[in-house]
Amino acid sequence: MLDSLTILGGRSRTGEPEPVGRLDLRVGEVLAVVGPTGSGKTTLVNDLELFADGTTSTGRKVLVDGVPPPSRMRDEPSASPIALITQHTSFLSDLPVGEFLLTHARIRRSPTAAGRVVEETLAFANELTGEPIDARSRMTDLSGGQARALLIADATVVCDTPVVLLDEVENAGIDRARALALLRRHRKAFVFVTHDPHVALLADARLVMKGGAMTALLRADEADRRLAAVAGRMDFALARVREAIRAGERLAGSELEAFA
Amino acid sequence: MRLAVVAGPATTGKTAVLRQVVRRLLARGVAPAFLKIDVQYADEDEALAAEFGIPTRKVYSGELCPDHCSVMVLGDAVRWAAGAGAEVLLVETAGLCLRCSPYVDGALGIVVLEATSGMNLPRKVGPMLSLADVAVVTKIDRVSQAEREVFRARIEDAAPSVLVREVNALHGIGIDPLLGTLLGGPQLVLGEDLEPRGLRLRGAPPVGTCTICVGKRDVGWRSHFGVVRPLESATFYRGE
């Protein structure tokens, strides 16, 4: 079982060594990756997912428990200890949801457990999305929110890996406070690539990206924790207004008074 | 001299994969040559020659199926590549109906499929997949990880003995293990005239012996001889 992931720094886009030369992530920790668009966040995700061995464009190396991972982890996706939830909000796979999940559960878990795993996955996904997913729907017919919910449920329940990597979770049409709470029930290392202040402040550390390089690692301090609490309350209040607007309700005008 | 025959549906990224392979072969000091077999248009040979300065050629199959064309010209191509000092010949062929396999014994057979294809593709392409040594899956960045894993499972269900390699050919991710497979593969046996000895097609192509093959254009099986098939029954032989 994996206990830690290490990233050894490579080069920035202009060829200079990365300021953060080594990053260790332990199971149970939450890391937020922040930085403007084009700063190299997705490339970092790719390096992690593919267990970069110095041959990718960044020259980074990824170690598992302090050593280069066995080639099986790299060559066989279903043996990877990282479940990656990418920015995709639609599927290209033209299978019914049930058959897709059954195939995935068969290779990730076991043929005998597959049926039960599929039920759990659908139940988890349906806690995240307001529009329940039917196992008979085609993957390509799912809405953006349903697709994201299914991807998160698949990564958490079917893959059940020690590391979960979420790229841009806040873009999803899902309840992300609930997603975070549900995810934290599982003992895993989480990496969130995020523009969202609440998600970033909830992490144990923030990795700052710029010009293709890891430029700083900021451990969460007292100020972050204080802000996280306020940001959470703001998020919650805003989410209620959002839901009321989506439901077609009239508003009182005082819903965000506490922050005015 | 080593030979790799690369097949796969159009626009799956065969050339993008080969560009990465060529770059890495040159970095290791191995001299490659490239042959493209296509129906009526191809410029990959010019692009690779301009980018890497390696010997390249193309053949237009025209009226002939490109995979049949490859069977016809492969011996000549090996002689040309060997004469040009190449140690590895990379042949890219544009299959048409995807029912045959252009691979030959004694050479590496690579099929290039894209992760964005339908989940039933591995069941549809038949011997082009099942007779390959390696299935390279491209465009992995375009789908979720879950879809990649399920697509891989569908390939392994359809062709259990084929080695699956996922790559992002644009960024060169996942290409290195392919090189190991290529350079660890068999060597061709060449005669003194540089003609390869004993090259044989790995699988029999689908039956295509009918009067349509020789240009008769009347519609309906009654108009044709050879191997024919009506709507309601399997193929049978009609005529002398």
Side-chain angles (χ1 to χ4, degrees):
Chain A
M1 191 66 177
L2 175 146
D3 285 313
S4 75
L5 266 187
T6 303
I7 307 172
L8 299 180
R11 295 172 303 275
S12 75
R13 220 166 274 141
T14 49
E16 276 106 65
E18 292 186 88
V20 177
R22 182 186 175 110
L23 173 85
D24 293 291
L25 177 69
R26 284 176 191 80
V27 167
E29 288 182 334
V30 178
L31 177 74
V33 180
V34 298
T37 306
S39 59
K41 301 191 294 296
T42 299
T43 309
L44 180 77
V45 169
N46 289 340
D47 280 343
L48 268 174
E49 185 210 359
L50 296 157
F51 299 99
D53 57 355
T55 61
T56 63
S57 59
T58 60
R60 290 188 190 117
K61 288 185 182 152
V62 175
L63 308 179
V64 172
D65 293 335
V67 294
S71 61
R72 189 166 168 266
M73 278 190 189
R74 191 178 295 125
D75 296 341
E76 206 171 295
S78 59
S80 170
I82 301 179
L84 172 68
I85 303 164
T86 40
Q87 298 183 19
H88 301 93
T89 51
S90 65
F91 289 105
L92 295 167
S93 303
D94 46 1
L95 289 178
V97 172
E99 190 182 347
F100 181 91
L101 290 176
L102 209 57
T103 310
H104 200 196
R106 171 167 65 80
I107 52 169
R108 268 285 181 176
R109 308 290 281 278
S110 74
T112 45
R116 177 181 54 79
V117 171
V118 171
E119 277 177 36
E120 269 178 50
T121 310
L122 278 171
F124 191 117
N126 286 334
E127 279 194 71
L128 295 177
T129 172
E131 330 148 71
I133 301 169
D134 188 326
R136 290 162 302 181
S137 329
R138 298 200 85 78
M139 302 280 287
T140 43
D141 291 342
L142 299 183
S143 74
Q146 286 176 319
R148 292 292 292 188
L150 193 65
L151 280 173
I152 292 173
D154 177 275
T156 314
V157 184
V158 177
C159 297
D160 195 24
T161 50
V163 183
V164 173
L165 226 157
L166 285 98
D167 203 350
E168 308 273 356
V169 69
E170 67 277 6
N171 286 347
I174 57 165
D175 182 342
R176 63 180 189 274
R178 186 185 275 175
L180 281 173
L182 278 172
L183 288 170
R184 275 185 181 276
R185 272 193 224 151
H186 297 76
R187 193 180 164 270
K188 295 168 186 287
F190 290 107
V191 180
F192 291 100
V193 178
T194 185
H195 295 299
D196 180 80
H198 187 206
V199 175
L201 290 167
L202 282 172
D204 299 306
R206 299 198 291 281
L207 178 64
V208 185
M209 303 296 299
K210 195 177 175 186
M214 306 185 286
T215 54
L217 183 68
L218 308 177
R219 293 265 158 211
D221 59 12
E222 199 40 54
D224 290 337
R225 278 185 274 274
R226 206 164 53 229
L227 264 179
V230 183
R233 288 197 297 276
M234 291 176 77
D235 250 11
F236 184 68
L238 208 51
R240 288 180 67 166
V241 173
R242 189 182 299 121
E243 282 315 308
I245 290 173
R246 285 173 78 184
E249 292 168 19
R250 279 268 161 215
L251 300 165
S254 56
E255 284 85 351
L256 298 175
E257 208 73 338
F259 308 101
Chain B
M1 171 100 156
R2 289 189 164 87
L3 172 65
V5 179
V6 182
T11 73
T12 50
K14 296 186 289 294
T15 312
V17 170
L18 286 178
R19 175 177 288 118
Q20 297 287 354
V21 169
V22 166
R23 180 173 296 144
R24 284 165 174 74
L25 284 173
L26 290 171
R28 293 189 191 195
V30 179
F34 171 82
L35 171 71
K36 170 78 195 230
I37 301 170
D38 215 317
V39 185
Q40 57 179 23
Y41 180 78
D43 59 6
E44 292 84 351
D45 56 322
E46 293 156 40
L48 287 176
E51 188 172 351
F52 298 108
I54 59 168
T56 69
R57 284 192 74 158
K58 72 179 143 218
V59 183
Y60 289 141
S61 59
E63 302 294 307
L64 194 57
C65 159
D67 284 342
H68 290 198
C69 180
S70 114
V71 177
M72 298 284 178
V73 303
L74 207 49
D76 295 347
V78 168
R79 209 170 52 209
W80 158 75
E87 294 158 277
V88 173
L89 172 60
L90 305 167
V91 177
E92 179 183 334
T93 158
L96 265 190
C97 62
L98 313 180
R99 295 295 318 185
C100 68
S101 81
Y103 317 119
V104 291
D105 287 333
L108 191 67
I110 301 174
V111 62
V112 179
L113 304 173
E114 53 190 8
T116 50
S117 321
M119 285 288 172
N120 283 327
L121 184 80
R123 295 175 177 182
K124 290 180 177 179
V125 291
M128 192 175 72
L129 169 63
S130 60
L131 291 180
D133 298 297
V134 185
V136 173
V137 180
T138 56
K139 305 188 188 177
I140 52 174
D141 54 318
R142 302 278 304 279
V143 298
S144 61
Q145 184 183 349
E147 287 172 284
R148 275 174 56 184
E149 292 180 19
V150 171
F151 190 65
R152 185 190 182 96
R154 306 283 281 199
I155 294 177
E156 287 172 342
D157 286 348
S161 62
V162 175
L163 180 69
V164 183
R165 289 265 172 233
E166 276 120 348
V167 305
N168 177 336
L170 289 182
H171 296 106
I173 296 163
I175 299 286
D176 281 297
L178 257 186
L179 240 69
T181 312
L182 175 59
L183 296 177
Q187 294 254 23
L188 294 180
V189 182
L190 303 187
E192 276 187 23
D193 53 357
L194 299 181
E195 184 80 24
R197 297 279 180 263
L199 268 193
R200 274 177 63 83
L201 202 55
R202 202 174 279 177
V207 182
T209 332
C210 69
T211 33
I212 302 165
C213 298
V214 294
K216 198 161 186 282
R217 291 159 73 183
D218 303 274
V219 170
W221 64 273
R222 283 182 191 81
S223 309
H224 294 279
F225 296 96
V227 178
V228 295
R229 77 158 294 164
L231 181 63
E232 296 304 340
S233 65
T235 51
F236 67 90
Y237 183 80
R238 176 164 179 262
E240 294 296 309

